[in-house]
Amino acid sequence: MERFSGLSLLRHAMGGHQGWKPFWREPEPKPAYDAVIVGGGGHGMGAAYYLAKQHGMRNIAVLEKGWLGGGNTGRNTTIIRSNYLFPESAALYNHAVKLWETLSEELNYNTMFSQRGVLMLAHTVHDVQVFKRHVHANRAAGVDNEWLSAAECKAFCPPLNISANIRYPVMGGALQRRGGTARHDAVVWGYARAADSLGVDIIQNCAVTGIRRDASGAVEGVETERGFIRTRKVGVSAAGNTSVVMAMAGLRMPLESFPLQALVSEPVKPDFPCVVMSNTIHAYISQSDKGEMVIGAGTDAYTSYTQRGALHMTSHTLDAICELVPMYRRLRMLRNWGGIVDTTPDRSPIIAKTPVPGLYVNCGWGTGGFKATPGSAHLFAHTIAKDEPHPINAPFSLERFTTGRFIDEAAAAAVAH
Amino acid sequence: MLLIPCPFCGPRPELEFRYGGQAHIARPENPAALSDGEWAEFLYLRDNVRGVHAERWRHIHGCARFFNMLRDTTTDRILTTYKTGEPRPEAV
């Protein structure tokens, strides 16, 4: 792998930038691998990287049915935070935030991670009580989070309208200063480039069509559009299509897949200094480095695989944003799109072994998987390599739906998050 | 937005309806007799079909009645609706 640096940039500039090489190879699939990851998004690509880097498994492949990062990795609103209520979740997401902080150096690739702060607004007495509880729980768990009054929110994010004349006035907010955003494409490209240099085969346009099991029930390999690939370990990291892939091994999952939409505006000058989220009135907004306002909407009501949703979902979010930041009423929206998110009954993810020996699954991230990318990938690689979960992801098992030991962040946040 | 043909009221916009999840999941007659695994299966495991999906809807801002619908989850095209208690029709 060519190391990127100021010097390498200068050297290529002298050569008229004609000498840049592709970031990764495009190999033909081999007949057999030590492990195969299904899904070339951030979570899957990252898992392949950590398998190669930390667990010495170099003879592995990532199978992607489309192109790298073309699913939810390229469709999210890039928000990163770890201010979750329960100790299991706070530990999981904070593990990810810590990895984010060194990821660009680790991969020698600029992920444009920006810890500009995530401000979650409270609009009702109930919000205030819940967020203060979050702040205290987070601080007890060693996760930074602090309470701001409405005036302090305005000082931190001047475009906000904190006047009393809106339908749900801002009553304060919880600020996580270590939260922020990252360039979503760069994350998967950085992982892919680093994994490829360690010998990982990245095979795009290669959908898995079956999972073959031997007489004992263990995984024997995967059928793909480009032939059978023998392997004893399969890690499924297929987001909205996880139920479809797991059904190939005869497993039903506690998952439902819903469309989730996002949209961006025309680019404008930098004026929005942080990420603002409002669960109560459903506004999620930040400004990309290109200047676009990046806006997230809610999930549609029904399950779907169409990667599109209904207009009333996005207009509902825009109503809230126009009231919260009145100057954006004149802003034009450029593009909107949908992704398919797999949600669990308790709205917490599953990173676990399955009842099928050799089959592992990382799914159920619902509406908030991007923030966890490095942590999730790191823990999934550990689970696959050691055939047992890391202590951080041990609570995020499939069995919790049988034992009832939920990590019920849905109830804690009272909204999809 | 879906235009949903309520079997009682005719076609109405999706906003009048509430989605009710996968259809034809019968509550076990005697839950106490089930194992934890069987109970979890009833409560949480879903087919999450990529293709024709039988699902429950309720016309909450209309006649308020439940009914079932066949919809293709790869296109969101609605194939048919039918009354609760009727068997699932052949996919059209």
Side-chain angles (χ1 to χ4, degrees):
Chain A
M1 177 174 86
E2 178 188 1
R3 282 198 69 77
F4 292 155
S5 64
L7 200 63
S8 78
L9 192 62
L10 191 65
R11 198 165 49 240
H12 281 291
M14 308 285 251
H17 290 295
Q18 298 300 304
W20 295 106
K21 298 277 190 303
F23 284 180
W24 51 81
R25 300 163 292 130
E26 295 207 14
E28 284 299 309
K30 290 191 238 167
Y33 289 99
D34 294 340
V36 163
I37 304 287
V38 181
H43 292 242
M45 211 57 250
Y49 167 75
Y50 291 113
L51 276 173
K53 174 86 176 179
Q54 300 197 331
H55 303 284
M57 293 179 70
R58 304 280 171 101
N59 182 31
I60 62 177
V62 176
L63 306 181
E64 165 56 47
K65 72 170 178 174
W67 67 96
L68 286 192
N72 293 350
T73 300
R75 291 165 189 267
N76 61 75
T77 52
T78 79
I79 297 170
I80 295 164
R81 61 183 178 89
S82 62
N83 50 354
Y84 281 66
L85 180 63
F86 291 112
E88 295 90 344
S89 319
L92 175 68
Y93 291 101
N94 213 41
H95 180 60
V97 167
K98 285 180 191 164
L99 288 171
W100 277 115
E101 287 172 339
T102 56
L103 192 64
S104 292
E105 290 84 353
E106 162 105 19
L107 300 176
N108 180 233
Y109 197 88
N110 187 2
T111 61
M112 297 166 73
F113 179 48
S114 157
Q115 290 177 298
R116 60 185 69 177
V118 173
L119 180 60
M120 298 177 76
L121 298 178
H123 302 271
T124 64
V125 172
H126 176 73
D127 279 354
V128 172
Q129 291 168 346
V130 167
F131 286 179
K132 285 188 173 172
R133 184 183 172 206
H134 271 69
V135 167
H136 294 311
N138 287 156
R139 292 172 79 107
V143 175
D144 78 299
N145 200 358
E146 62 195 90
W147 177 256
L148 301 188
S149 67
E152 288 167 332
C153 290
K154 174 82 177 168
F156 190 74
C157 185
L160 284 183
N161 176 11
I162 60 164
S163 69
N165 65 1
I166 68 174
R167 177 67 182 86
Y168 292 101
V170 175
M171 297 176 75
L175 172 65
Q176 187 176 32
R177 292 184 192 270
R178 281 167 67 229
T181 60
R183 168 104 197 267
H184 49 193
D185 298 315
V187 178
V188 69
W189 294 340
Y191 272 128
R193 173 172 166 270
D196 177 82
S197 77
L198 293 170
V200 174
D201 280 357
I202 300 168
I203 299 157
Q204 303 182 68
N205 298 308
C206 180
V208 168
T209 54
I211 296 176
R212 205 186 282 179
R213 298 165 65 182
D214 65 16
S216 72
V219 168
E220 205 172 29
V222 289
E223 309 279 358
T224 78
E225 289 177 330
R226 293 165 72 174
F228 178 68
I229 297 174
R230 190 170 298 282
T231 182
R232 303 300 292 187
K233 290 188 179 212
V234 173
V236 177
S237 193
N241 282 287
T242 301
S243 295
V244 178
V245 178
M246 298 302 276
M248 295 172 190
L251 289 182
R252 286 177 86 214
M253 298 294 290
L255 293 174
E256 288 188 296
S257 297
F258 294 96
L260 178 67
Q261 295 179 83
L263 57 165
V264 294
S265 73
E266 58 190 336
V268 289
K269 286 185 178 176
D271 61 15
F272 205 77
C274 61
V275 179
V276 167
M277 304 177 57
S278 171
N279 294 351
T280 299
I281 62 173
H282 258 291
Y284 307 90
I285 184 166
S286 64
Q287 189 168 25
S288 74
D289 291 344
K290 208 162 37 171
E292 303 155 325
M293 301 311 302
V294 182
I295 295 164
T299 52
D300 277 87
Y302 47 85
T303 63
S304 180
Y305 289 86
T306 55
Q307 293 188 317
R308 61 174 183 260
L311 187 62
H312 66 266
M313 300 308 300
T314 46
S315 61
H316 175 65
T317 288
L318 293 176
D319 288 348
I321 284 171
C322 288
E323 201 162 62
L324 207 53
V325 192
M327 68 179 180
Y328 291 154
R329 286 176 187 176
R330 287 182 297 161
L331 207 57
R332 282 165 296 197
M333 293 299 136
L334 274 193
R335 305 189 303 279
N336 76 321
W337 63 89
I340 300 302
V341 300
D342 46 324
T343 56
T344 58
D346 64 356
R347 297 299 188 273
S348 285
I350 300 164
I351 316 174
K353 297 170 67 171
T354 69
V356 176
L359 185 64
Y360 308 86
V361 70
N362 181 3
C363 66
W365 289 97
T367 58
F370 176 73
K371 65 174 80 70
T373 303
S376 148
H378 179 255
L379 298 168
F380 194 38
H382 183 283
T383 307
I384 294 171
K386 309 276 190 206
D387 195 35
E388 62 178 22
H390 187 284
I392 295 178
N393 69 307
F396 295 88
S397 67
L398 264 174
E399 289 75 32
R400 73 177 189 267
F401 300 102
T402 306
T403 62
R405 199 173 174 81
F406 280 15
I407 302 153
D408 213 345
E409 288 291 350
V415 70
H417 52 78
Chain B
M1 189 180 304
L2 302 178
L3 185 62
I4 296 176
C6 172
F8 307 99
C9 311
R12 299 293 181 90
E14 179 196 329
L15 287 178
E16 294 185 11
F17 297 82
R18 182 79 46 85
Y19 181 66
Q22 188 179 333
H24 305 296
I25 297 176
R27 184 182 167 88
E29 302 235 329
N30 183 8
L34 296 188
S35 68
D36 288 352
E38 288 164 334
W39 186 238
E41 184 172 339
F42 161 68
L43 286 179
Y44 304 123
L45 298 195
R46 294 294 177 264
D47 293 336
N48 200 18
V49 177
R50 188 187 170 103
V52 179
H53 188 231
E55 58 198 17
R56 300 194 310 160
W57 286 84
R58 188 179 180 201
H59 194 183
I60 188 130
H61 298 300
C63 61
R65 294 172 78 173
F66 280 96
F67 61 93
N68 293 336
M69 181 161 104
L70 290 186
R71 180 176 55 91
D72 187 337
T73 61
T74 62
T75 58
D76 287 341
R77 189 175 298 278
I78 296 166
L79 303 176
T80 184
T81 55
Y82 54 102
K83 291 176 184 168
T84 301
E86 291 178 1
R88 175 181 166 150
E90 291 292 312
V92 185

